[in-house]
């Protein structure tokens, strides 16, 4: 939740307020219209609002907007396609939790697209919203990068299933694309964990606790974005709505499986990371123990010997041993013996 | 739960007893009456009970009371609007858990408004209760601050959805206002966490464990107030009651999403805070380790050397080495060598 | 579970065996009979079994027994009011988990009354059982203290709701009384926690870990008694039984809310206590750290200096420095310098 | 799960393989046949298979087998009473999880009987299986000890409920007997915990961590055996089957309560044990702290003093202090002062 | 999830892409056709696609493929038996979560077969997929090892239940075979845990924390494969489909019990392992404590004695004690006394 959230407090519900950072100079609208037999593509700019048509039946119409800061435009589109004000509010609010809402004449889905920035080892998020009716779909992205390029290519090729279906299948295909990208992020996270584990087993140093900490926060963040999607998918699966064709259910069920698999993987990573944290701490304890043992062995051997040396360094006038001929060598022998027996004792106690 | 709670033990159910601290000198009653075409506003004082009218159909009537200590007044209002005694009891009991109860002729909702005191970094709570029928709404606040100012302004403006709807929408708008304020509190809590994290990574000192502790207790407290609201919202959503208009459900569903998002954020903060706690403890262990290692390196190098020095400080009459010409320098050389080899050993063990 | 439990193993189900400690010399039976218009009270002793009447319709009859050791009496009463043998068994078994059982012609409820012994800081428990039909209620207490005094007073006053209702409302009123007492116990527990927290923040000493431990066990014990009550309350709420009047449901729902609030408070206390435990441990670690740092600073400064002093205490015949005029003062200077630089190093490492 | 389990892998389902250790020399079969008016008892040996009769209606027949290694015999009996092969497999498989399966013409229940070996402080388990139809019950025990002696005595006496009921009540009575024994085991476990707690508070020594560990594993093991019984009991309660008489439900519900109470107790013990583990660890930390503090106090006081002594033990030719008359006594005074101020400093820091 | 997963991102759903490592040179297809009276067996190679027949009614046909890299072949088979493209995709995707999907005309099940590599103490996984209709079953294995050998032998023998049933029972038998192998793996894991426990109790050394860590990761991995199977089994049990014969339900229910038992065992192992981890850490702490105590005893006894020796090694010109006749022996006596009293003090404090 960003600091921007609070500027909305107190506004009436349904107020369309952009709460993110503006990532795009000018809103880019890509238009596609297709059916089984033909396909037409266009790039609209945000002046040509007049070019928005109400949905028609013989085509599927897909308006893909990149950039969310122009809330007036979003409200305009909303009017043309009869989108509920609460859905419009959610489109512009980039701090939205993933959700699916069913309205009269349309289904609204909001979720997060993820990508991994390999230089900073951070996960970048982008909000993606879909609103679709029988024969139209509106998609909203925060960013200029084209998440849906591959879907567009499949539409152009035109030999697949996708051209024969309605907007519901298109919505599924777009969601599937977003979820497919999760796997890439998960792979990267897994690799990061494996690197930490390798570091930990070979040479555990100070930097590891920071890395574990950062990755943990990262996992928490990703979990927050993916977790609620399970609910979204099962809501989608149970949608009894004439916008949704019967034969799409296996696909949605498959999508749900992928989402569950992602969440499972995340939970698994968290458990593994906890294991690494424990391992790191016991590593620390163990090392400390070793250090203490060496100190103890050295100190406890030499402290009595030093005492003995100090004893015969005293300047008393009458210390008979000082004048015996071999007492120095006898004392050296005693010292060696003491050292030897103490070493054996510690050895037996397994202290080094 | 305050110490005041116990003064109620043993009273018959439905006893209206004020259990909070009196925060208001005189109870303040603000009255609003509106429909799509006109709006009337008044400030009543608590003597003018006669001014309470039974609900009428052509208007929505909103009585907003600030201050709860005058339980007689609350009972009076209760009689006029036919409020169930248990609801009256809950209005005056400021230790009430958030709840929604359905009665004949009215719906009762109790929840906590939160605000963040930036000086003491504490979250202030205030109990808010709503009771509404078809065409009237009673709201009760503990405090004089006007939580609902913005709703009142929207009513005055009169161009929004709110003037065309009944008391159910007003109730929703008031709840939405309270929940909107949660986001501000959450933002502040998040900032506090980020500050702690920054402190921890840069210079972890003694004060941090106290800060983490305080924030943890704060999160527990806020969780206690917001958590049960999920249940309240889903009860609201499932209310099959002719007081509730069909087209309000998307709004309540949106409200529920906001509440869930708040609870998720809180749970997330708790996890992050636990991560910080762990980090702090491993920081402590790590520092301790470093301290121990320095001690060990210094002590284990000098202890044997000191022993050697002590050895040749003994006063035995017959110690041949003492009289050799270069034995002092040879010994110095041996000492340097011992020190050097121990340093190398510790270096290799990665102890400093 | 006490050691007494095992004496029951192997007996046929429905055997009425008293498993508690005998807390009462002679069983005391208090009898009340009322309807909206009149009320009659009597103290029966356990010889006058003949005084037990089968239930009649024009009155509510309430038999309140204090003391459970006379199982023959309990079985006698059971016969008169046609109580199921399993319910009788549960009445006498003071290790019973809170439960509600529905039988033909009656509802059986068993729960624990709690009180706080302020001298030993312990929570005292007493088993309370209720069995009620349409127009009679049997209550069983382990102890002589009158838990239900206030209900009896309200019955005597006769101006409340209670005289107009049947045994179901009386059962509710008695349960409400027991649950009201929970709040007092919870308040005391909260105060104990706050005392521990204050001690911990001001002067953490050895006694704290014992106090935290004791309180934790206490919370576990209380949780064990209150936790299952939620289930009891929701079973009560869902009882479709002609013994239960429609208009009692809001009251039971309110009772359930109180129980949930108690359990929430307990869970909250446990979390707070865990926080205190963590704080105590990190306090210990922190203190240990400080002790180690002081030791390390002193030892690492003086160990090299002592070595130097030892060096020039050696008795070699040829040690040229010994005979130089200012070597003593030069050495003193070197020692001061070493000490000074080490102090500065430790200071910079933030060790003291 | 024993090593024996694997010898079953790959066999067809329904294969009756004994997976336990043979605890009985010769399988012992005890036969009882009763109705309200008469009762007949016999001891069969495993040669007299011919003596197995198909169930008849006027009696309840109870075959009680002790010893499971003779799988041929089990299959024989299975044929006579028409037991499903999967049930037969489960009878012989002593690693079976507690379960209830409903088959045509019979109900199969498998659970573990527990007893406490007071010498080794271990919980012994024995698998018990029941298969019953309308008027017959087969019970299978691993061991020769007669778990069901008291039920048999009640049947002989003949004045109780048990002789008037069918096999369903007999099954209940046997289950009740097994669950009653759980309480004895739980009592013993509780006593063991209390002993550990007492040891821990009075004199925590090394043996405690082993005891806590052993008890924890023991609790886990017992939990594994009792936990799934809740499911079994609720399946039993919801069995809509003409084998089950209506008036038995209160008894089963009571049984389920006992099981839940046992599981609750176990969970409680685990929590208490965790508390003891934490207490033990903080005890260790505390003791370590004390040890460190004593070391630090002694070392930090004497290290500077020893340095001073060493200083004046040097043999420099020119050390003016050595020749002053009172310098020895002045130095002694300085040493006493240093010691005194350090002691005061440590005292104030609360180090001893 | 392997690195291979990401190569699929962006492909249309239903794309059959092999995501594993190629473990087989040439795909091996084993064909079996049977009914109650006859059985026919053949080995097909992947050129002879023409040999795939559409299912016929009088036989059960079982195609068992080993090796998944030839996706063209998989798609070919898919066409013949009318398998849904999503099922084909899942067959080739070796990173699939265990699942059961119901399609028109067939049921698809995917799960993991496990085996234990005793040399590296690792659990090897292999993906197994089944697709069956009324009278045919397709099975897909990653590897050449014949998991289903024993089922095939039972089919050849022909005297069991299996030849009389349809493809649903065959599917059950294959699943049962896979689940039976889980027990072997669980036994091995249990043995590994027991070995660690023994090591820990006898001689806890550094290698143990690595072993605990590795086993923990291993358990997490196995849990990931077995956990979702519970869902699969209960989906199978609730399949209302004319492909599934009534009398198979007890078998599936038994299978589900086995799976639950496996998951329970795994959870149990994890708890035991956590116990061992705790024990290891408290072992470390305890050992550290012992080491510290020895160090402290030795150091605190000799430090004051060494000081005394140093004191009388000073070279002050005027130290009267030095010249007294017996002062050396008196001092020796004092030193022995100090040592003796300190030893007694530490003994009483239980420090050694």
């Amino acid at each position: 939740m960003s600091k921007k959230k609070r500027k909305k407090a107190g506004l009436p519900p349904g107020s369309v307020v952009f709460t993110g950072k503006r990532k795009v100079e000018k809103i880019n609208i890509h238009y596609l219209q297709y059916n089984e037999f033909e396909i037409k593509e266009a790039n609209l700019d945000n002046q040509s609002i007049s070019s928005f048509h109400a949905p028609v039946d013989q085509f599927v119409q897909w308006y893909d907007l990149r950039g969310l800061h122009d809330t007036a435009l979003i409200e305009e589109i909303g009017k043309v396609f009869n989108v509920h004000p609460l859905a419009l509010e959610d489109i512009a609010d980039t701090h939205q939790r993933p959700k699916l809402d069913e309205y009269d004449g349309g289904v609204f889905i909001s979720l997060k697209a993820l990508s991994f920035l390999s230089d900073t080892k951070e996960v970048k998020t982008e909000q993606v919203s879909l609103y679709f009716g029988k024969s139209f779909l509106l998609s909203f992205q925060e960013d200029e990068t084209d998440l849906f390029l591959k879907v567009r290519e499949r539409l152009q090729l035109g030999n697949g299933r996708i051209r024969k279906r309605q907007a519901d299948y298109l919505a599924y295909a777009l969601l599937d694309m977003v979820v497919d990208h999760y796997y890439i992020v998960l792979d990267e996270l897994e690799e990061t964990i494996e690197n930490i584990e390798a570091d930990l087993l070979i040479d555990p140093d100070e930097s590891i606790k920071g890395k574990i900490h950062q990755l943990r926060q990262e996992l928490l963040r990703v979990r927050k974005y993916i977790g609620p999607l399970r609910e979204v998918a099962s809501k989608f699966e149970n949608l009894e709505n004439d916008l949704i064709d019967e034969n799409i259910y296996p696909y949605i069920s498959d999508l749900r499986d992928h989402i569950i698999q992602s969440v499972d993987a995340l939970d698994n990573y968290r458990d593994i990371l906890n294991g690494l944290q424990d391992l790191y701490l016991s590593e620390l304890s163990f090392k400390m123990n070793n250090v203490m043992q060496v100190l103890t062995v050295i100190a406890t051997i030499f402290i009595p010997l030093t005492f003995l040396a100090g004893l015969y360094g005293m300047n008393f006038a009458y210390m008979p041993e000082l004048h015996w001929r071999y007492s120095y060598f006898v004392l050296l022998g005693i010292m060696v013996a003491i050292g030897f027996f103490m070493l054996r004792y510690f050895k037996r106690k397994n202290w080094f």
Side-chain angles (χ1 to χ4, degrees), chain A residues 155-173:
Chain A
L155 276 168
Q156 294 288 4
L157 279 175
N159 52 3
R161 226 171 280 111
I162 195 165
R163 283 273 291 278
K164 299 173 199 147
R165 305 282 178 97
Q166 292 296 307
D168 54 350
Y169 190 88
L170 180 58
Y172 154 71

Side-chain angles (χ1 to χ4, degrees), chain A residues 131-143:
Chain A
Y131 185 88
F132 65 96
K134 190 78 191 165
S135 62
F136 71 96
L137 184 143
L138 310 173
S139 62
F140 300 85
Q141 309 179 39
E142 256 185 286
D143 215 327

Side-chain angles (χ1 to χ4, degrees), chain A residues 155-203:
Chain A
L155 276 168
Q156 294 288 4
L157 279 175
N159 52 3
R161 226 171 280 111
I162 195 165
R163 283 273 291 278
K164 299 173 199 147
R165 305 282 178 97
Q166 292 296 307
D168 54 350
Y169 190 88
L170 180 58
Y172 154 71
L174 298 181
L175 291 178
D176 192 52
M177 188 63 43
V178 172
V179 172
D180 267 5
H181 275 90
Y182 290 172
Y183 282 115
I184 301 176
V185 172
L186 291 174
D187 273 356
E188 296 283 356
L189 290 172
E190 191 176 12
E191 214 177 291
T192 313
I193 290 177
E194 278 163 10
N195 288 341
I196 290 176
E197 184 170 16
D199 282 6
L200 195 49
L201 292 175
I202 297 163
D203 175 29

